[in-house]
Amino acid sequence: MTRYWLMKSEPDECAIDDALAAPASTVPWTGVRNYQARNFMRDGMQVGDGVLFYHSSCPEPGIAGIARVASGTRPDPTQFDPASPYFDAASKADAPRWLLLDVQALRKTRLLGLPELRATPALAELVVLQRGNRLSITPVDEAHWRLITEVLLA
């Protein structure tokens, strides 16, 4: 069964254009340092699941593209690299804390920004719109996926 996700990326680190320009339009989703987001990757995400590629921490945050999960999880090497901003000294090679998976960008879309998302009553329960939600990976229910991909991004 296909599941759907919203994955946030800071465009300075990896924008939808960067993902599309990567070999096979596929990038490793590194730097996840929240246990709940990691658990979504580990326990819920499957190859082929749909992804709303979301630009965050930028002047105009919003959905910037459509992607898919392209691999299962594996240890995120940035946790072991002291030069990386995602280094975790407590994580050990024989028991890594942090995982990544590959995401394949399928297409860039017009930016579907937060104001437009919030102005759409049928999306009121979209997790990214909930007060206090700062997770970098959140589930998207099928009805929200269809509305966003078939109507708002048509």
Side-chain angles (χ1 to χ4, degrees), residues 24-145:
S25 299
T26 302
V27 293
W29 209 265
T30 60
V32 173
R33 295 298 183 268
N34 173 282
Y35 287 106
Q36 187 173 3
R38 180 213 54 197
N39 293 348
F40 284 143
M41 286 195 304
R42 183 189 68 201
D43 304 332
M45 299 175 88
Q46 301 291 320
V47 172
D49 283 357
V51 173
L52 298 173
F53 197 110
Y54 185 96
H55 286 173
S56 68
S57 299
C58 58
E60 293 185 71
I63 297 166
I66 305 296
R68 72 176 196 91
V69 175
S71 77
T73 58
R74 62 186 181 277
D76 180 344
T78 64
Q79 68 193 308
F80 307 120
D81 179 0
S84 171
Y86 301 113
F87 176 65
D88 182 347
S91 189
K92 305 299 177 206
D94 60 344
R97 288 184 181 183
W98 307 111
L99 304 171
L100 65 78
L101 48 70
D102 294 322
V103 173
Q104 182 182 37
L106 300 176
R107 71 180 177 105
K108 183 176 180 175
T109 64
R110 71 175 177 85
L111 184 72
L112 182 55
L114 280 175
E116 188 174 358
L117 291 169
R118 286 191 176 113
T120 307
L123 296 176
E125 299 301 316
L126 189 65
V127 177
V128 74
L129 300 179
Q130 302 308 303
R131 184 173 300 247
N133 175 34
R134 298 190 44 82
L135 286 175
S136 62
I137 299 171
T138 55
V140 173
D141 69 45
E142 186 173 355
H144 291 154
W145 173 268

